[in-house]
């Protein structure tokens, strides 16, 4: 149900041209707020989850930005977070130019725009001393996550198994087994479609002998049978994709959808990023990349329990919402206790 007597109907979602001026004089000082665009599609729609990929493109502070997901409430109205800010005692004014929604994912129908909703982030109020430190920050909060946060070393000695490609180690934290598989043992490539360029590594200290660089495809698959004898029994594990981006890679900013192919009953998807996203593009269930000590990157793709079987099958399909995976270099996958 709409909270206002009138709303705006936009006929072309690919050319919105909506100029928004935001004033914060009625907000509580020293509280972190999110500014959300509230809208709905004119034609009735049903969504399988509370997140809908819409890829809103907009300008703010001279910068072109993207908000990828809209959250669906109990009613038909949806919200897209545009920015976060801290109102102080004086009024903050800033402008946002809404440019377009994705016609590929949203269709060609019209939308109703209700307005802007200001919502506290976890109802957090800043302490006075913290407020003083942030008092000079009147612009939107910087929202790139820290790529420099490294994954700490958590291994005893790393051993190669009999085939000289699989790696086995033991976690210092909990004495549980860790296991690593190279790209050539987990990446699936059909005989009629070439997805990867394979490259040998000359570095003698590298744990990986060969890597795969993806070419212009939107999808790739990972398939393997996880040998439980190389893991600790009845333990919760996370499967990390170990990767880096080539210097010529300028894409992969958008989220990547991960589907567990073997779990057909569960239709929900998981999401990950290969580049650190803005905070407004995080909704609680996405996995973000972290820097490893070996200067590679890693991101969690899948979680499972090792149980007490001989092996656990894994089949994942990763699909990029926009563009291709070109420039993504896959080194392998690593299973570590959670």
């Amino acid at each position: 149900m709409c909270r206002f007597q009138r709303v705006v109907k936009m006929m072309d979602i690919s050319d919105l041209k909506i100029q928004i001026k935001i004033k914060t004089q009625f907000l509580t000082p020293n509280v972190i707020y999110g500014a959300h665009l509230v809208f709905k599609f004119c034609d009735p729609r049903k969504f399988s989850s509370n997140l809908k990929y819409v890829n809103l493109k907009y300008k703010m502070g001279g910068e072109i930005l993207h908000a990828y997901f809209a959250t669906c409430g109990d009613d038909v109205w949806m919200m897209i977070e545009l920015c976060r800010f801290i109102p102080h005692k004086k009024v903050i004014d800033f402008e946002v130019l809404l440019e377009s929604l994705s016609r590929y994912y949203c269709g060609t129908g019209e939308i109703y725009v209700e307005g802007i909703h200001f919502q506290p982030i976890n109802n957090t109020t800043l302490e006075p001393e913290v407020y003083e430190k942030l008092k000079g920050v009147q612009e939107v909060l910087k929202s790139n996550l820290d790529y420099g946060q490294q994954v700490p070393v958590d291994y005893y000695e790393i051993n190669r198994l009999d085939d000289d490609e699989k790696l086995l180690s033991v976690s210092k934290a909990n004495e549980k087994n860790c296991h690593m598989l190279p790209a050539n043992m987990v990446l699936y490539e059909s005989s009629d479609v070439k997805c990867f360029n394979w490259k040998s590594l000359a570095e003698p200290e590298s744990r990986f002998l060969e890597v795969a660089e993806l070419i212009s495809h939107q999808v790739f698959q990972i398939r393997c049978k996880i040998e439980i004898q190389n893991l600790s029994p009845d333990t919760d594990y996370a499967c990390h994709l170990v990767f880096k981006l080539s210097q010529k890679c300028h894409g992969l900013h958008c989220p990547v959808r991960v589907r567990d192919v073997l779990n057909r009953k569960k239709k929900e998807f998981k999401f990950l990023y290969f580049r650190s996203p803005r905070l407004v593009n995080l909704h609680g269930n996405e996995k973000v990349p972290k820097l490893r000590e070996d200067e590679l990157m890693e991101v969690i793709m899948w979680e499972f329990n090792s149980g007490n079987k001989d092996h656990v099958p894994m089949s994942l399909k990763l699909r990029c919402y926009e563009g291709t995976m070109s420039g993504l270099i896959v080194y392998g996958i690593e299973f570590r206790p959670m």
Side-chain angles (χ1 to χ4, degrees), residues 3 9 60 95 100 107 112 136 143-144 146 156 159 184 189 197 211 218 224-225 252 262 280 294 307 317 323 327 335:
R3 287 164 283 195
K9 184 176 183 180
M60 187 170 60
E95 297 183 1
S100 63
Y112 291 121
S143 54
N144 283 338
D146 185 9
Y156 290 119
N159 299 304
N184 59 16
E189 188 170 28
N197 287 324
V211 298
Q218 196 175 18
C224 69
K225 287 186 177 181
L252 288 175
L262 300 179
V280 298
D294 55 11
K317 179 178 285 189
F335 305 104

Side-chain angles (χ1 to χ4, degrees), residues 240-306:
H240 303 256
L241 182 72
V242 183
F243 71 96
K244 75 175 184 179
L245 303 179
S246 70
Q247 293 183 351
K248 64 182 180 182
C249 180
H250 301 291
L252 288 175
H253 294 277
C254 69
V256 173
R257 188 176 70 184
V258 182
R259 182 166 71 92
D260 185 351
V261 178
L262 300 179
N263 192 352
R264 299 183 182 275
K265 294 182 180 179
K266 194 173 183 180
K267 296 183 179 181
E268 292 184 0
F269 300 102
K270 293 187 177 181
F271 304 98
L272 60 82
Y273 286 91
F274 288 119
R275 297 183 189 269
S276 292
R278 299 171 58 239
L279 288 178
V280 298
N281 285 316
L282 293 177
H283 298 86
N285 60 347
E286 302 91 341
K287 303 299 182 182
V288 297
K290 293 184 178 181
L291 180 65
R292 296 162 54 95
E293 193 185 59
D294 55 11
E295 297 185 354
L296 300 176
M297 303 297 298
E298 68 176 28
V299 64
I300 296 176
M301 297 186 299
W302 193 55
E303 298 169 356
F304 68 100
N305 185 278
S306 58

Side-chain angles (χ1 to χ4, degrees), residues 1-10 38-40 42 77 111-115:
M1 183 176 179
C2 183
R3 287 164 283 195
F4 303 103
Q5 293 182 346
R6 292 184 179 182
V7 295
V8 177
K9 184 176 183 180
M10 304 302 301
V38 183
F39 76 102
K40 72 173 181 178
C42 295
W77 292 98
I111 62 170
Y112 291 121
V113 176
E114 184 187 47

Side-chain angles (χ1 to χ4, degrees), residues 13-245:
I13 64 171
S14 65
D15 188 24
L16 294 174
K17 294 181 180 178
I18 302 176
Q19 187 84 27
I20 298 175
K21 293 184 178 181
I22 299 176
K23 294 181 178 292
T24 62
Q25 68 266 36
F26 300 116
L27 302 181
T28 303
N30 309 344
V31 174
I32 301 176
Y33 278 90
H36 301 258
L37 174 71
V38 183
F39 76 102
K40 72 173 181 178
F41 294 100
C42 295
D43 56 306
R45 302 189 183 191
K46 292 183 179 180
F47 304 108
S48 57
S49 69
N50 65 340
L51 285 180
K52 168 67 177 175
Y53 185 83
V54 296
N55 192 10
L56 173 66
K57 180 181 178 182
Y58 59 105
K59 289 182 179 179
M60 187 170 60
E63 187 178 3
I64 298 177
L65 303 172
H66 292 263
Y68 295 114
F69 291 102
T71 56
C72 311
D74 296 332
D75 53 13
V76 294
W77 292 98
M78 309 172 74
M79 293 202 307
I80 304 175
E81 186 175 355
L82 302 174
C83 60
R84 298 184 182 185
F85 59 93
I86 306 170
H88 307 309
K89 292 182 180 180
K90 62 180 182 179
V91 178
I92 300 175
D93 294 350
F94 52 92
E95 297 183 1
V96 180
L97 175 62
L98 306 182
E99 293 192 349
S100 63
L101 293 168
S102 170
R103 295 188 68 174
Y104 181 82
Y105 291 99
C106 299
T108 58
E110 302 90 353
I111 62 170
Y112 291 121
V113 176
E114 184 187 47
I116 300 294
H117 176 63
F118 299 102
Q119 187 172 19
I121 305 299
N122 296 328
N123 294 318
T124 301
T125 301
L126 300 178
E127 296 296 331
E129 59 271 18
V130 178
Y131 166 68
E132 287 300 323
K133 291 180 181 180
L134 296 175
K135 190 174 181 179
V137 183
Q138 297 294 337
E139 73 273 13
V140 176
L141 294 178
K142 297 296 183 182
S143 54
N144 283 338
L145 297 181
D146 185 9
Y147 251 140
Q149 182 181 1
Q150 290 190 346
V151 179
V153 178
D154 188 36
Y155 308 116
Y156 290 119
E157 183 177 355
I158 298 175
N159 299 304
R160 291 192 181 273
L161 301 182
D162 295 338
D163 51 20
D164 205 36
E165 289 193 275
K166 304 173 185 176
L167 301 177
L168 186 65
S169 59
V170 177
S171 170
K172 294 179 181 179
N174 50 26
E175 302 290 336
K176 300 282 188 177
N177 286 355
C178 304
H179 187 34
M180 186 178 293
L181 296 174
N184 59 16
M185 298 187 68
V186 298
L187 291 179
Y188 173 76
E189 188 170 28
S190 63
S191 57
D192 56 341
V193 179
K194 179 177 175 61
C195 296
F196 314 102
N197 287 324
W198 293 91
K199 300 178 181 179
S200 298
L201 294 183
E203 299 90 342
E205 70 277 5
S206 175
R207 303 177 192 175
F208 305 92
L209 305 178
E210 190 177 31
V211 298
E213 182 172 351
L214 275 78
I215 52 182
S216 297
H217 288 282
Q218 196 175 18
V219 181
F220 74 96
Q221 296 186 56
I222 291 178
R223 295 182 184 180
C224 69
K225 287 186 177 181
I226 307 165
E227 297 174 341
I228 298 304
Q229 64 182 3
N230 297 322
L231 302 179
S232 299
D234 197 21
T235 299
D236 292 328
Y237 276 88
C239 174
H240 303 256
L241 182 72
V242 183
F243 71 96
K244 75 175 184 179
L245 303 179

